[in-house]
């Protein structure tokens, strides 16, 4: 590192474990728009509710295996036997309510698709006009008017475990908003937001 190069600046949570640092540096805040990818993130954020993201991240591959790669059609057809299988799987979070919500949410996504809508489009339609510009971890929002509206829209369509805080975490994780600290080397990494929180005009319409 030269004298003119600054050390990477990260959120405090990203320094708690190497797997979190890697996630922060390579994935968090990068755009996710495919239906299965958004559903996976929504599911993991729901399982994270009341727990640490580190716990979920360490079990992520186990979740993918347990839920057949988050294939929507497969999960929507899960039976009571599948629920019992998941409750016996020590590799994931064995919470009946969250498992049942995942199945219900898969059905809700398929219902959206049948109506000519998509989960991805619905989530991204709640992109704000401006993104936050936090200078400290304490200034990073946990909810927003857009996350509250998204939570309401999803609940109206039958989704569960989609409260405003969980939805803001989802929006932050997939690039709908950029809540990296202004000083972070990852600020603006999505290509959708400028450092000052204004949208990048040349980006695809969201």
């Amino acid at each position: 590192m030269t004298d003119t190069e600054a050390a990477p600046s990260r959120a405090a949570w990203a320094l708690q474990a190497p797997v979190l640092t890697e996630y922060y540096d390579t994935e968090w805040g990068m755009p996710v728009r495919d239906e299965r990818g958004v559903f996976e993130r929504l599911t993991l954020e729901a399982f994270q509710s009341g727990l640490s993201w580190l716990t979920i991240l360490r079990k992520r591959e186990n979740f993918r295996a347990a839920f057949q790669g988050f294939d929507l059609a497969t999960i929507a057809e899960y039976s009571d036997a599948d629920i019992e299988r998941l409750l016996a799987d020590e590799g994931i979070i064995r919470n009946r309510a969250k498992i049942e919500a995942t199945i219900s949410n898969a059905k809700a996504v398929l219902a959206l698709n049948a109506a000519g809508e998509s989960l991805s489009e619905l989530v991204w339609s709640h992109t704000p006009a401006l993104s936050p510009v936090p200078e400290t971890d304490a200034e990073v929002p946990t909810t927003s008017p857009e996350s509250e509206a998204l939570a309401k829209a999803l609940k109206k369509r039958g989704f569960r475990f989609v409260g405003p805080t969980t939805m803001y975490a989802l929006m932050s994780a997939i690039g709908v908003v950029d809540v990296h600290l202004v000083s972070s080397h990852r600020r603006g990494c999505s290509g959708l937001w400028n450092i000052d929180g204004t949208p990048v005009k040349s980006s695809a319409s969201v």
Side-chain angles (χ1 to χ4, degrees):
M1 180 182 295
T2 68
D3 292 339
T4 59
E5 291 179 322
S9 176
R10 302 180 178 90
W13 63 262
L15 304 176
Q16 296 174 1
V19 66
L20 286 173
T21 303
E22 180 181 4
Y23 173 69
Y24 181 90
D25 282 353
T26 63
E27 187 174 352
W28 188 62
M30 295 298 288
V32 177
R33 294 181 183 274
D34 66 288
E35 198 79 337
R36 186 185 297 197
V38 174
F39 176 70
E40 175 185 335
R41 297 301 191 84
L42 182 147
T43 301
L44 293 179
E45 294 292 352
F47 270 96
Q48 187 272 333
S49 180
L51 302 170
S52 72
W53 181 243
L54 177 59
T55 297
I56 300 301
L57 202 57
R58 283 174 169 164
K59 294 176 178 289
R60 188 177 189 180
E61 291 305 318
N62 295 335
F63 272 106
R64 285 174 170 168
F67 285 100
Q68 273 80 39
F70 289 97
D71 181 75
L72 288 155
T74 299
I75 295 173
E77 294 296 325
Y78 275 2
S79 64
D80 289 343
D82 288 299
I83 294 174
E84 294 305 316
R85 169 180 62 82
L86 292 166
L87 286 171
D89 190 336
E90 296 181 355
I92 65 170
I93 305 300
R94 295 180 289 176
N95 180 299
R96 180 181 290 274
K98 293 177 179 179
I99 290 170
E100 291 179 346
T102 301
I103 300 168
S104 177
N105 289 347
K107 293 177 180 178
V109 175
L110 295 182
L112 272 177
N113 296 164
E117 300 180 272
S118 82
L119 173 63
S120 178
E121 289 172 354
L122 182 57
V123 171
W124 280 91
S125 73
H126 288 78
T127 301
L130 296 173
S131 197
V133 285
E135 295 185 359
T136 66
D137 288 321
E139 294 178 0
V140 176
T142 56
T143 63
S144 70
E146 292 80 16
S147 77
E148 292 173 359
L150 175 58
K152 179 182 286 188
L154 289 170
K155 288 177 181 177
K156 183 178 179 180
R157 290 165 172 80
F159 286 82
R160 295 154 57 185
F161 279 94
V162 289
T165 300
T166 299
M167 289 305 93
Y168 198 76
L170 171 68
M171 294 163 72
S172 302
I174 67 173
V176 178
V177 292
D178 184 354
V179 296
H180 289 90
L181 302 184
V182 174
S183 62
S184 173
H185 66 295
R186 294 292 289 170
R187 181 74 181 176
C189 64
S190 69
L192 302 176
W193 297 102
N194 295 308
I195 292 176
D196 65 359
T198 57
V200 174
K201 298 300 183 182
S202 61
S203 64
S205 173
V206 295

